[in-house]
Amino acid sequence: MAEGGAGVAKRVATLLSGLLECGAFCGVIFGWASLVFVLKDLHYFADLCQPINSSGHNWTDCSWQSEQFSLVFTIGSFMNNFMIFPMGFIFDCFGTTIARLIAISLYAGGTLLVAFSTPELAVLLFPAMSMLSVGGILLILTNMQVGNLFGKYRSIIITFYNGAFDSSSAIFLIIKVLYEHGLSLRAMFLFLAACSAWHLLRTLFLMPRTHIPYPLPPAYNYGLRCSRRSQSYRTYEEKRPPGEAGLEETPLEPSAPRGGGDPPGPSFGACVCSWLFAWHVVWLSAMQLRHYLFIGTLNPLLDHLASGDPHQVSTYTNAFAFTQLCGVLCAPWNGLILDRHKRGKTPHPEGALGALADLRASILSLVVTVTQCVLFSICAAVPMLPVQFATFVLQVVSRSFLYGGNAAFLAIAFPPKHFGKLYGLAMALSALVALLQYPCIALLRGPLNGDPFYVNLGLIPVVLMAFGSPVVVARECRRRAKELGAAGTPLTAPPGTETPDEVPH
């Protein structure tokens, strides 16, 4: 790096600390099945269990208790996606520091609510899980820009962070294991609340005040230094004498053209109204519904397949949680697929040609992700307990590809200045679709008597709809290639050839 810029050590520290943050905090709600096991043992919502006297045997029907736990997860997962839309606006408009302070406040509040909840105050789980999920998704949103620090490894790092997000669901497994060894639920969640101090320190010293630009300018720096001067470009520019050039910092966004016009590129509205974005939302929504329904109903599913044997339910719950740890290992595979065209000896083209090459590379990633989800859905529909081991493996691989691919695709296909808003809108729209999991749960508890076979079978054609997205992306690539050809831009540019700076979306 040039003098005054962030060195390799600082960038690596940012990368690794962000990986720890995503892997230990951001997606804990998706380990809900492990936490439910603890909450049931503590008799949360136990008043909803009804005694049944049948054929001289006394049974306890706890289906309403299970449905209440499923409702907590449904609302929490909905808030996880829906609230990221306004949070995306906050991130784009006010920058990283403001967004992270909001995220830290929500996360600390959620952990404190769980810590001070009791079986009599089990209703606190509803706001607590919502705050944990919103705070976590906002933390990972601010972390994904770290990929901009590493150039051609950008997509790999974005998917790596999303894989760490998936692996964080194992935190509730750790809580379950520690609880079984005598540690209280309150003590563990108070510790998570105390970790907010670490998030705050990272916000001040290892994250930018506004945004990390892409491509990265020379001598770019970020965070606070011992001299107590912020490395935010905007703060520094306000103090710099007119006409003085600065080496330490460069603009976070390209300057507007003289004359006051907006920078070139499609508007936010044009991006939202494109078929590219619409079908991407279908791609995300269909597979996310499949994953959310599986996580939200895993405990009753295992209870049904194990005929109520608590030992088997605990064993399979632990197995599922352990597989979630592998998310951080699986997600970079998707990044390797997305960045495969950048690893050849030929220099990666810039401008319009580079954007087209990136978009073409995303087609294989989209297809592989849907194929994995279809296989996972088929295994989930098999009503045999041992088959669920294969289901767990396919689920974690598919989910790590899904969220990493979602973020990477939006970063590739649309202008960086709209990333936060588009990411938030895509997640919010998919959250509305994910609400369908609750009527599915009610159907499962009622007419289907706890048998998930027909629900799982019906979700397979829903997932197959996601194949429409790579088809639309392929057509968009052909359209852009024709436009570039008509404009006289060679589609295979030799090194050193200048290409347009912008690509139409």
Side-chain angles (χ1 to χ4, degrees):
M1 298 291 290
E3 182 182 356
V8 174
K10 184 175 183 179
R11 287 182 289 144
V12 171
T14 302
L15 172 65
L16 295 180
S17 62
L19 190 63
L20 176 62
E21 185 171 81
C22 293
F25 301 97
C26 292
V28 293
I29 189 174
F30 297 106
W32 179 243
S34 297
L35 187 62
V36 165
F37 195 90
V38 175
L39 296 174
K40 281 186 175 181
D41 190 68
L42 291 171
H43 306 294
Y44 280 64
F45 300 121
D47 57 309
L48 298 177
C49 294
Q50 302 294 326
I52 298 176
N53 192 342
S54 176
S55 302
H57 297 282
N58 291 324
W59 304 93
T60 302
D61 179 15
C62 290
S63 58
W64 283 104
Q65 181 194 34
S66 296
E67 185 174 352
Q68 196 75 352
F69 281 125
S70 296
L71 181 60
V72 173
F73 176 77
T74 299
I75 294 175
S77 59
F78 170 78
M79 296 297 289
N80 176 274
N81 290 353
F82 187 77
M83 287 304 296
I84 196 60
F85 182 41
M87 296 301 173
F89 270 96
I90 291 174
F91 175 59
D92 281 351
C93 296
F94 298 102
T96 302
T97 300
I98 298 298
R100 285 182 61 85
L101 290 176
I102 293 172
I104 294 167
S105 300
L106 288 171
Y107 202 93
T111 52
L112 289 173
L113 283 177
V114 177
F116 292 105
S117 68
T118 62
E120 293 75 25
L121 293 174
V123 70
L124 291 178
L125 292 176
F126 285 96
M129 289 301 114
S130 296
M131 292 170 73
L132 282 176
S133 61
V134 176
I137 197 70
L138 187 50
L139 282 176
I140 191 176
L141 176 62
T142 61
N143 273 306
M144 283 188 288
Q145 62 181 322
V146 172
N148 296 348
L149 294 173
F150 295 89
K152 63 181 180 180
Y153 302 107
R154 181 191 187 202
S155 295
I156 294 175
I157 290 172
I158 290 175
T159 54
F160 203 32
Y161 271 27
N162 278 270
F165 175 87
D166 292 339
S167 295
S168 65
S169 59
I171 294 300
F172 281 171
L173 169 65
I174 296 173
I175 287 176
K176 174 179 178 291
V177 172
L178 293 176
Y179 171 80
E180 291 173 338
H181 284 78
L183 204 59
S184 72
L185 187 69
R186 174 169 295 182
M188 290 183 281
F189 273 89
L190 284 175
F191 173 77
L192 290 176
C195 289
S196 297
W198 181 77
H199 299 313
L200 185 59
L201 290 174
R202 185 168 180 271
T203 300
L204 294 175
F205 294 100
L206 291 177
M207 295 296 287
R209 181 182 174 187
T210 51
H211 303 94
I212 299 174
Y214 183 80
L216 200 66
Y220 175 72
N221 207 344
Y222 57 93
L224 297 179
R225 297 194 302 183
C226 295
S227 60
R228 298 185 180 180
R229 182 178 62 183
S230 170
Q231 297 305 299
S232 164
Y233 168 75
R234 292 173 185 172
T235 302
Y236 184 67
E237 283 295 301
E238 290 170 0
K239 298 179 180 180
R240 179 185 298 168
E244 180 182 340
L247 294 177
E248 288 190 352
E249 292 139 359
T250 53
L252 296 179
E253 296 176 359
S255 301
R258 293 182 181 181
D262 293 331
S267 65
F268 173 66
C271 294
V272 170
C273 294
S274 67
W275 284 108
L276 206 62
F277 181 76
W279 273 100
H280 182 71
V281 170
V282 173
W283 178 88
L284 174 64
S285 301
M287 290 186 284
Q288 182 172 260
L289 175 62
R290 169 67 273 189
H291 285 282
Y292 277 11
L293 191 59
F294 181 75
I295 296 171
T297 61
L298 179 61
N299 195 267
L301 168 67
L302 294 177
D303 192 64
H304 173 77
L305 295 178
S307 302
D309 183 349
H311 177 71
Q312 279 193 312
V313 172
S314 179
T315 299
Y316 276 83
T317 299
N318 289 348
F320 171 74
F322 275 120
T323 58
Q324 301 306 297
L325 285 169
C326 299
V328 69
L329 303 177
C330 300
W333 302 347
N334 199 9
L336 291 173
I337 293 174
L338 288 162
D339 286 342
R340 67 189 188 279
H341 61 296
K342 300 178 182 179
R343 294 190 294 274
K345 295 182 179 179
T346 304
H348 180 250
E350 302 294 337
L353 291 179
L356 180 57
D358 290 344
L359 194 61
R360 280 174 172 163
S362 70
I363 297 174
L364 179 59
S365 169
L366 298 172
V367 171
V368 170
T369 305
V370 181
T371 303
Q372 290 170 344
C373 195
V374 170
L375 294 175
F376 149 60
S377 301
I378 292 172
C379 286
V382 177
M384 296 174 62
L385 199 56
V387 176
Q388 300 313 307
F389 286 120
T391 305
F392 297 161
V393 173
L394 287 168
Q395 189 269 342
V396 71
V397 175
S398 171
R399 187 162 168 266
S400 63
F401 268 60
L402 174 64
Y403 289 109
N406 169 50
F409 177 81
L410 291 173
I412 287 170
F414 301 100
K417 63 182 178 181
H418 300 315
F419 175 76
K421 297 185 286 292
L422 290 173
Y423 182 83
L425 181 59
M427 297 295 279
L429 293 174
S430 67
L432 295 175
V433 176
L435 288 177
L436 292 174
Q437 64 182 301
Y438 190 68
C440 289
I441 292 170
L443 181 66
L444 185 63
R445 189 193 65 81
L448 297 179
N449 297 316
D451 185 356
F453 175 75
Y454 292 104
V455 172
N456 288 331
L457 200 64
L459 285 171
I460 295 175
V462 174
V463 173
L464 288 171
M465 292 173 57
F467 276 114
S469 179
V471 173
V472 171
V473 174
R475 293 179 61 184
E476 176 68 9
C477 287
R478 288 197 297 269
R479 185 189 69 80
R480 293 188 184 185
K482 288 181 180 178
E483 286 186 355
L484 290 174
T489 303
L491 298 183
T492 55
T497 301
E498 294 184 359
T499 55
D501 291 332
E502 297 292 333
V503 57
H505 290 265

